[in-house]
Amino acid sequence: MTQTGSAPVHRDRRDDEQFEDVEPGGDEHSPFATAPIAQAGLGVVAAAFGVASLFGASSLAMFGKKGIPGPGMFPTATAVAVTALGLALVVISVIRRIRTGPGESLACTKPELLRAGSVWAGLMICIALMEVIGFAAASALLIAYLVLLVERVRAVKAVIAIVAVPVAAYLLFGFVLGVDLPTSAFIEGI
């Protein structure tokens, strides 16, 4: 952040190496900020995903032994939240479109689409691996993939995150909440 006159000016990252000054509260330059139709479309997709997840979670028990949260509690709560937020995005986007007009068209470049696709592919592979190598190992691989290959972060903090996040999630869901997480078919208990 740099100072010019009386108002602070923030450095805003654009592309990989170009920076430009942006006044706080100034105009957004993101295509999503100015394309209400794209936002509404994303809201519909999120709401549909939430509803589908809610149907998938409905077969899981909401509560386990002694009234503790069961394996269906978190997926159900998350599905309801994603559905509600998706619908809220649709409503807000439609209102914004009515007030401000159509906005800019949303165009993604091929590298942006490939990057988004690689994140989804990594997530799908992680889900498939959970039944084979267990929750902790599959989560560690997913985080390593996202941090090291997608984001290309090379730092000690990245390694700490790769190890700490899956361990913390395993401890939280496995021990604190008592959720039965997928374990390795090869190594019992992991």
Side-chain angles (χ1 to χ4, degrees), residues 120-130 138:
W120 276 104
L123 182 61
M124 295 300 115
I125 291 169
C126 172
I127 291 169
L129 285 175
M130 277 192 192

Side-chain angles (χ1 to χ4, degrees), residues 15 52 185:
D15 298 322

Side-chain angles (χ1 to χ4, degrees), residues 33-46:
T34 57
I37 291 176
Q39 288 181 350
L42 290 173
V44 168
V45 170

Side-chain angles (χ1 to χ4, degrees), residues 118-130 133-151 161-162 165-166:
S118 70
V119 170
W120 276 104
L123 182 61
M124 295 300 115
I125 291 169
C126 172
I127 291 169
L129 285 175
M130 277 192 192
I133 63 174
F135 173 83
S139 297
L141 286 175
L142 175 64
I143 294 170
Y145 169 72
L146 294 174
V147 169
L148 299 174
L149 298 176
V150 175
E151 291 296 325
I162 291 168
V165 170

Side-chain angles (χ1 to χ4, degrees), residues 29-83:
H29 295 290
S30 166
F32 287 110
T34 57
I37 291 176
Q39 288 181 350
L42 290 173
V44 168
V45 170
F49 180 76
V51 168
S53 298
L54 191 57
F55 281 118
S58 65
S59 64
L60 301 172
M62 289 288 284
F63 295 99
K65 299 174 186 170
K66 300 180 184 175
I68 63 170
M73 177 68 77
F74 184 72
T76 301
T78 304
V80 168
V82 168
T83 303

Side-chain angles (χ1 to χ4, degrees), residues 66-115:
K66 300 180 184 175
I68 63 170
M73 177 68 77
F74 184 72
T76 301
T78 304
V80 168
V82 168
T83 303
L85 291 173
L87 292 174
L89 182 58
V90 171
V91 170
I92 291 168
S93 299
V94 168
I95 291 170
R96 182 177 292 151
R97 164 102 180 182
I98 291 168
R99 286 185 183 168
T100 63
E104 298 176 13
S105 66
L106 180 64
C108 293
T109 62
K110 186 175 180 178
E112 290 171 336
L113 290 174
L114 289 174
R115 183 177 175 163

Side-chain angles (χ1 to χ4, degrees), residues 1-16:
M1 188 162 98
T2 59
Q3 292 285 353
T4 57
S6 62
V9 176
H10 297 274
R11 301 302 280 175
D12 189 25
R13 187 161 187 178
R14 299 282 180 215
D15 298 322
D16 283 332

